Amino acid sequence: MSIYKKIFGYFLILFSLLVIVMIGFPQFYSNNSAGRIDKETSLDLNFLKNETSPIVLLYFGYVGCKTICTPSMSELGKIYNQLDHAKTKVYFGNLLDIYDKELPQLFAQHFHKDFRGVFLDKQEIQEIANQLRITFTTSMTDSGELDHSGYLYVLEKGVYDKNYRQKYIYTTRPFDEKTIVSDINDLTKGFKNETIISAHR
């Protein structure tokens, strides 16, 4: 094998490893220290069809997850207490359908009485994973556990079409409380202004 083919082969291996790292750790190419990725995508989430809040924070995990979900939800409780509750709602989406349907709500409300837990069946989990690019796998040692990313998704409601669209993804853990609160407060102020302008047209 020629030296050029060897060099090309090494280059392909290194490039493949780099791609894997960037997919697994998007904070490397996010636009700030909070690991915030700006990504606007229209969404169709059935469990939000009756929601009216301008901003929705989505966190996906599973009931009983102690290593990722419990600390993340505790952090979200602190963040939520600094936000306008009339304009912001927090949803916990359960990615395991083996639990009782009431448990996601109980789990979510353990961290704040206003939090909403959503039970998702297999089809709904797959649809949401496809829309939001959520990555998770069943644990190799316990079918009742998941290996998952633990990102925070911020959705914004459209002023005119009233549909939600993905606005930000926060990938850094623990969450950068100060940055997230500031970003969401900026969004809710903007929504208020747009609503006022729209009402006077």
Side-chain angles (χ1 to χ4, degrees):
M1 183 181 292
S2 71
I3 186 67
Y4 298 108
K5 287 184 178 179
K6 285 184 178 179
I7 292 173
F8 183 69
Y10 291 139
F11 171 78
L12 286 179
I13 292 171
L14 288 173
F15 179 76
S16 299
L17 289 173
L18 180 62
V19 170
I20 291 170
V21 168
M22 291 184 71
I23 291 173
F25 302 94
Q27 55 266 39
F28 289 154
Y29 55 91
S30 63
N31 62 5
N32 63 23
S33 62
R36 191 186 89 189
I37 299 172
D38 297 15
K39 184 178 180 183
E40 295 205 15
T41 307
S42 296
L43 302 171
D44 181 18
L45 302 176
N46 189 54
F47 64 86
L48 292 178
K49 64 181 180 181
N50 295 321
E51 182 56 68
T52 59
S53 177
I55 301 297
V56 168
L57 309 186
L58 285 181
Y59 182 86
F60 293 94
Y62 64 97
V63 172
C65 171
K66 297 178 181 178
T67 56
I68 301 177
C69 299
T70 295
S72 295
M73 293 296 290
S74 295
E75 292 165 27
L76 281 177
K78 295 176 183 176
I79 290 170
Y80 182 71
N81 283 332
Q82 301 175 64
L83 301 173
D84 184 341
H85 294 184
K87 298 178 183 176
T88 310
K89 295 293 179 279
V90 176
Y91 280 76
F92 168 79
N94 193 58
L95 296 173
L96 270 178
D97 65 342
I98 63 173
Y99 294 106
D100 186 287
K101 292 185 178 182
E102 304 300 321
L103 286 181
Q105 176 69 9
L106 295 173
F107 182 75
Q109 288 187 322
H110 172 75
F111 301 97
H112 196 286
K113 64 181 180 61
D114 293 344
F115 286 6
R116 300 173 184 179
V118 181
F119 176 86
L120 304 167
D121 62 30
K122 280 187 172 65
Q123 182 177 343
E124 290 170 324
I125 291 170
Q126 190 57 54
E127 289 174 354
I128 290 169
N130 291 338
Q131 288 190 61
L132 294 171
R133 300 292 187 263
I134 300 170
T135 57
F136 63 94
T137 58
T138 303
S139 172
M140 295 179 68
T141 58
D142 188 343
S143 61
E145 294 184 1
L146 290 176
D147 296 320
H148 63 97
S149 54
Y151 299 155
L152 176 62
Y153 300 83
V154 177
L155 312 185
E156 183 179 37
K157 197 174 188 70
V159 176
Y160 303 109
D161 61 12
K162 302 302 181 184
N163 293 322
Y164 283 100
R165 63 180 183 273
Q166 179 178 288
K167 185 72 175 178
Y168 304 135
I169 307 172
Y170 292 96
T171 63
T172 300
R173 294 291 336 285
F175 295 131
D176 187 327
E177 183 179 314
K178 184 177 180 180
T179 299
I180 294 173
V181 169
S182 176
D183 288 346
I184 294 173
N185 282 335
D186 286 344
L187 288 178
T188 54
K189 288 176 185 175
F191 188 93
K192 181 179 179 181
N193 292 338
E194 288 177 12
T195 304
I196 293 170
I197 291 171
S198 175
H200 287 82
R201 284 182 175 174

